[in-house]
Amino acid sequence: MRGVLVLLLLTLTAGCAGRDGRQVERASVPSGWHGEQGQASFYADRYHGRRTASGEAHDRNALTAAHRSLPFGTRVRVTRLDNGRETVVRINDRGPFVRGRVIDLSRRAAEELDMLGQGVAEVRLSPE
């Protein structure tokens, strides 16, 4: 019986690990953070496959983003202000490092907000 419990525990633990063996956790939004507003941009295709600050590879087809300070794993709702389109992304990288920009989005997230043509868009970030 003990062996079955150990095996079950190992199986559950392995199911939570990322491809490189790191634990993938869902972080909660820090207390006191109620969102922010500013410009969003998106990653150029040349960053596809490169390592992010969290250690995972950037995937332009995933709903991920870079934020300067939110914990990795935090899920954020991004709403484009001029058209009302929105998406939910997971923070897995640091940035952007351009004044006025609050988030860098994956290509897929930018597509969902219909901002590929413009490159940047005014957005509101809110806790998910």
Side-chain angles (χ1 to χ4, degrees):
M1 180 67 172
R2 184 176 180 169
V4 172
L5 288 175
V6 170
L7 183 59
L8 179 61
L9 182 60
L10 288 173
T11 302
L12 289 174
T13 303
C16 295
R19 288 184 178 166
D20 63 357
R22 294 181 191 203
Q23 292 294 349
V24 177
E25 298 179 24
R26 181 175 178 165
S28 59
V29 175
S31 63
W33 188 83
H34 301 290
E36 58 191 291
Q37 190 169 311
Q39 287 190 328
S41 53
F42 65 95
Y43 285 84
D45 287 341
R46 71 176 177 265
Y47 293 104
H48 181 70
R50 291 190 186 178
R51 293 278 166 222
T52 63
S54 68
E56 67 183 86
H58 172 65
D59 180 356
R60 68 183 181 186
N61 301 309
L63 290 172
T64 57
H67 188 273
R68 285 185 196 90
S69 61
L70 289 173
F72 296 138
T74 302
R75 295 190 186 279
V76 176
R77 180 171 302 280
V78 182
T79 305
R80 182 171 169 176
L81 297 180
D82 64 353
N83 67 10
R85 294 183 72 158
E86 56 185 37
T87 189
V88 175
V89 296
R90 180 177 52 85
I91 303 300
N92 73 338
D93 202 5
R94 291 290 169 235
F97 301 107
V98 175
R99 175 175 273 191
R101 295 193 187 164
V102 295
I103 197 163
D104 271 336
L105 303 168
S106 66
R107 182 177 184 85
R108 179 170 170 212
E111 286 173 353
E112 290 195 3
L113 296 177
D114 192 27
M115 59 178 276
L116 292 182
Q118 298 85 1
V120 296
E122 193 72 19
V123 296
R124 179 178 49 250
L125 307 182
S126 53
E128 177 58 18

